[in-house]
Amino acid sequence: MTNSANAPVTISSDSVGRAPVSSKLFNKSYVSLLATQFFGAANDNILKQILTFMVATGLWSGPLGGGGLGPGGQVVPALLLTLPFIFLSGYAGQICDKFSKREVMYWVKLAEIPIAVVALIGFLTLNLWVTLAAMLMLAVQSSFFGPAKYGVMPEILADEHLSMANGVINMFTNLAVISGSLAAGPLSDLFYPKPIDGQPLPEPVLWAPGLALVVVAIAGFVAVLGFPKLKPANPHLKFDMNPFTTYIKSLRHMASGPLLAVVLAWGGFYMIAMIALLILPAYQAILGISYTATSYLLGVLGIAIAVGSVTTGWISGKEIKPWLIPVGASGMSLAFLMLGILPPTYASVATLVFVTGFFAGFYIVPLQALIQVLSPDEERGRIIGTSGAISFCFSSLGPVVFWFANNPLGMPANRIFLICAAMSIFGTIYGGLQLKKIMAVRSHQPQV
């Protein structure tokens, strides 16, 4: 398979010494990838949501002890999940090009098990800082997994399957988000139970969150064992210790075609999504609901993105349809606007969160497929790594925007959705202007 930003898409059996890509979508490699991604995303969300619940409501600084992070402290866990991607994605991209992507996935999933054990120790000892350290290590591990999982897809699948494959992997990712988010609520209630009228206060189960993380990490490692061996895409690549050199070279390549516009649109989505994910836990206080009920809102979002992603894959068929990107952006803009304007009720918030997630699927699936298909085989790991770094630079701005709106400006958390709406409307306009360039390139590429 040989792709470049301005060249036709063609399929060959062995462009970089690999075995032929499979003509079937649900082949052994792809099924293993889906399972591995599911368990990894589930673990990320279990730990992140429990920490967000504990920090956002001030429990860790008050009744739980262990030190606190102050008002708006939920920004800290969010930043810990983004900063490693910014500084390490350049290394990750090089490693994924120089070595077999299967081996990269094997080692990062193995590393997840001891990281989960560190989180278990943090919860057992009520030590916020140990638990935050585990989250940072989990983010480091994930930063190396990202270029491998997205870069390997064109190596194991024909181009005609990429739209549906991205739709399905997004579905599984968001099923994992649902599972992790739904598990986080009950696990938080076990870890720090609330008093029930007329009943004695239940004993806290301090080991519950950590044990869940360890079990899911082991399941993810078992899943990657089923992934067949692959040869490296560029084994003679000279490793550069300066990750920013990788970023600069990749950005130059992106700027030579429509790829940079695609990556910027992808990054903008991450920033808005991060703000939205910081807002949703605040509904626990706004609506006076339990952690579990709050986690259901995150579950609704995950289900909606899964449905939207698969719908997009179905609509796309055997092609990539960039015109779905502004459709998704427009739908998200309207939903954000309504979330920021309407008086919040549980039903209205859940409905609008679903609409937001559904249109997010229309937005992200074509972008993912375009990044994969416009990246040359021998550079795909570095380009996807650079794309990840850019997206997480944007994502890191999300917590900053949330904190500034919530503290100096004093905006209620749900009103911050108006900022999301404004950003999304700007992105829709920008995407519409860039769409013509993307469609022009795709029109010169034979559809497989």
Side-chain angles (χ1 to χ4, degrees), residues 45-373:
N45 279 273
I46 290 172
L47 182 54
K48 182 186 74 174
Q49 291 306 325
I50 291 174
L51 279 175
T52 300
F53 283 145
M54 297 296 105
V55 173
T57 55
L59 291 178
W60 213 302
S61 59
L64 291 181
L69 299 175
Q74 62 265 45
V75 167
V76 174
L79 286 174
L80 289 178
L81 283 174
T82 59
L83 293 178
F85 286 86
I86 297 172
F87 294 104
L88 298 178
S89 290
Y91 297 130
Q94 292 182 75
I95 289 172
C96 288
D97 283 336
K98 186 172 180 62
F99 302 100
S100 165
K101 294 178 178 65
R102 189 268 182 191
E103 295 305 309
V104 175
M105 291 190 291
Y106 173 91
W107 286 108
V108 297
K109 297 311 293 182
L110 179 61
E112 188 175 330
I113 298 172
I115 293 171
V117 173
V118 173
L120 172 61
I121 294 170
F123 283 114
L124 280 174
T125 59
L126 294 178
N127 192 311
L128 172 61
W129 307 109
V130 171
T131 314
L132 287 174
M135 173 167 279
L136 178 62
M137 289 188 286
L138 196 63
V140 169
Q141 175 256 0
S142 296
S143 70
F144 284 86
F145 185 61
K149 71 180 178 185
Y150 287 119
V152 81
M153 288 173 64
E155 296 184 17
I156 62 174
L157 296 166
D159 280 2
E160 65 189 67
H161 294 312
L162 283 180
S163 285
M164 181 57 79
N166 278 287
V168 173
I169 200 168
N170 274 325
M171 180 188 74
F172 269 76
T173 299
N174 285 283
L175 288 175
V177 171
I178 296 164
S179 302
S181 299
L182 291 180
L187 287 170
S188 296
D189 287 328
L190 285 171
F191 181 69
Y192 185 74
K194 287 185 173 181
I196 302 173
D197 292 340
Q199 298 182 26
L201 182 67
E203 284 289 325
V205 185
L206 300 181
W207 50 261
L211 181 62
L213 292 168
V214 172
V215 170
V216 175
I218 292 172
F221 177 69
V222 171
V224 83
L225 295 178
F227 200 99
K229 292 185 178 180
L230 287 174
K231 293 182 179 180
N234 191 355
H236 303 295
L237 175 68
K238 185 178 179 181
F239 196 84
D240 193 330
M241 293 304 297
N242 183 353
F244 296 100
T245 302
T246 298
Y247 298 153
I248 292 169
K249 290 180 179 178
S250 296
L251 283 169
R252 285 175 180 166
H253 176 87
M254 293 178 192
S256 66
L259 191 52
L260 183 59
V262 173
V263 171
L264 289 176
W266 177 242
F269 170 79
Y270 265 71
M271 179 169 65
I272 297 172
M274 179 60 76
I275 298 172
L277 288 173
L278 289 170
I279 295 171
L280 288 181
Y283 279 103
Q284 191 268 336
I286 294 171
L287 299 175
I289 55 180
S290 67
Y291 296 126
T292 300
T294 307
S295 70
Y296 290 159
L297 293 176
L298 296 165
V300 167
L301 180 64
I303 291 172
I305 296 176
V307 173
S309 296
V310 173
T311 302
T312 304
W314 176 75
I315 292 173
S316 300
K318 295 184 177 181
E319 298 179 358
I320 299 171
K321 299 190 183 297
W323 60 265
L324 290 172
I325 299 169
V327 172
S330 300
M332 287 190 293
S333 300
L334 181 59
F336 285 139
L337 188 64
M338 300 301 287
L339 280 165
I341 292 175
L342 293 179
T345 66
Y346 194 84
S348 67
V349 171
T351 300
L352 289 169
V353 164
F354 184 89
V355 173
T356 301
F358 180 78
F359 281 102
F362 279 66
Y363 186 82
I364 59 180
V365 168
L367 288 174
Q368 283 180 337
L370 283 169
I371 291 171
Q372 291 163 350
V373 80

